[in-house]
Amino acid sequence: MQKRDELYAGKAKSVFKTDDEKALILHFRNDTSAFDGKKIEKLDRKGKVNNLFNAFISEKLEEAGIATHFIKLLSDEESLVKKLDMFPIECVVRNISTGSLCRRLGVEDGLDLNPPTFEFFLKNDDLGDPMINEYHIESFGWAEASHVERMKELTFKVNGILQKLFLDAGILLVDYKLEFGLYDGEVMFGDEFTPDGCRLWDVETREKLDKDRFRQGLGDVVESYEAVARRIGVKLD
Ligand code: ADP
Ligand code: CDP
């Protein structure tokens, strides 16, 4: 597999073409960003833990019958993935109220949500990733109705699989964001699942173990990611 030109440098990952036009290399960098890129820092070992974390989760999802873009690990910080035609949409499921949900609706932090709730956001840093609904998605042609249904179905299916995986390690999956794209006409899970894009709380202490440590300046960001990784069975060394 030959690495070719850089296609895109995002806030936390860089995307490279390969000699296979249907495959890309994702490079998980140490860069960590929050607040739509307004807070950025380099954190040692973050690229590695996120790359290995994402590979582990992707394999668990594949085993449970969810198609993902992940093909294989190439190095500590790089993975080979299927090239998707990404939807400019973020799918968020919330099992417990926190973050922007509480700011927006004035609801208490930490409420169990039964059933879990679902939100779409538009991927647009300049606009601060605004919340959108299914009508916006269809009216502006960001995705067609059948693909929207599939994204919702897959995002909830991931919830069932990952809530259990984390709970077995004494961790609550509070909320998370997924991105999808099309591969040969199929809606497929792309981008990543790492502590950068979800909230994870210790079930006993409710300590935050995810990117809120970075957002809120709590320290030990990568140490927490590594501790979660070890608890769920990711091999880091
Ligand atoms: P951002 O673009 O939000 O700054 P990243 O730094 O994570 O985020 O950049 C990675 C980019 O690569 C994202 O825009 C994501 O949508 C895109 N991407 C992730 N997986 C794939 C894939 N399999 N095919 C094409 N693009 C992808
Ligand atoms: O971070 P903030 O409180 O503004 O966002 P949220 O809407 O409460 O985030 C819900 C979940 O989606 C959290 O797990 C975030 O980490 C994740 N998310 C993300 O990964 N990327 C975004 N651009 C927005 C949210």
Side-chain angles (χ1 to χ4, degrees):
M1 178 58 55
Q2 293 286 318
K3 189 170 172 180
R4 296 267 162 90
D5 297 344
E6 186 175 77
L7 196 61
Y8 175 74
K11 296 186 292 298
K13 300 193 289 305
S14 300
V15 183
F16 294 87
K17 290 186 192 169
T18 69
D19 52 356
D20 176 352
E21 64 174 31
K22 296 188 80 172
L24 298 172
I25 292 172
L26 287 190
H27 177 199
F28 289 74
R29 307 192 314 268
N30 286 338
D31 299 279
T32 312
S33 82
F35 312 120
D36 302 311
K38 289 182 198 78
K39 176 174 178 177
I40 300 180
E41 271 175 45
K42 274 198 200 311
L43 300 176
D44 280 351
R45 308 192 309 279
K46 204 206 63 155
K48 175 178 173 180
V49 67
N50 273 7
N51 186 36
L52 300 184
F53 200 107
N54 180 62
F56 179 89
I57 295 286
S58 300
E59 281 166 2
K60 294 289 178 194
L61 294 177
E62 293 275 357
E63 281 166 22
I66 295 195
T68 82
H69 68 155
F70 179 76
I71 301 173
K72 63 174 183 178
L73 281 171
L74 294 176
S75 67
D76 278 355
E77 294 189 344
E78 289 178 318
S79 287
L80 188 68
V81 300
K82 291 173 181 154
K83 180 179 181 168
L84 307 185
D85 186 8
M86 299 299 291
F87 298 109
I89 292 169
E90 301 184 334
C91 299
V92 170
V93 160
R94 300 172 185 273
N95 295 308
I96 300 178
S97 63
T98 195
S100 75
L101 180 73
C102 296
R103 294 195 296 276
R104 194 174 344 108
L105 302 183
V107 294
E108 200 182 315
D109 200 288
L111 299 175
D112 286 338
L113 302 176
N114 283 314
T117 199
F118 184 101
E119 295 165 344
F120 287 113
F121 295 90
L122 180 66
K123 250 182 89 74
N124 185 323
D125 284 336
D126 293 341
L127 298 178
D129 293 345
M131 191 165 83
I132 51 174
N133 66 34
E134 294 175 40
Y135 292 90
H136 298 127
I137 296 176
E138 280 188 61
S139 300
F140 294 106
W142 292 319
E144 62 182 59
S146 64
H147 295 154
V148 172
E149 274 314 302
R150 187 71 180 139
M151 282 191 264
K152 276 200 294 190
E153 186 190 341
L154 288 170
T155 308
F156 276 119
K157 207 166 164 198
V158 165
N159 201 31
I161 300 159
L162 295 189
Q163 261 191 314
K164 178 170 184 329
L165 183 146
F166 285 109
L167 200 54
D168 286 348
I171 296 167
L172 294 169
L173 177 59
V174 173
D175 58 28
Y176 57 92
K177 178 265 301 180
L178 301 186
E179 293 181 26
F180 294 90
L182 282 179
Y183 186 78
D184 289 343
E186 183 190 355
V187 176
M188 194 173 277
F189 166 51
D191 202 47
E192 67 176 66
F193 190 100
T194 70
D196 270 359
C198 66
R199 288 191 172 98
L200 301 165
W201 294 352
D202 184 273
V203 78
E204 298 295 335
T205 63
R206 295 219 153 193
E207 186 188 5
K208 297 177 200 299
L209 306 170
D210 54 77
K211 199 161 84 174
D212 272 351
R213 300 198 69 82
F214 176 72
R215 293 189 188 95
Q216 299 174 12
L218 301 176
D220 290 336
V221 178
V222 174
E223 290 74 7
S224 285
Y225 288 21
E226 290 172 339
V228 172
R230 290 201 175 90
R231 282 169 73 170
I232 62 172
V234 180
K235 301 235 177 330
L236 293 179
D237 305 305

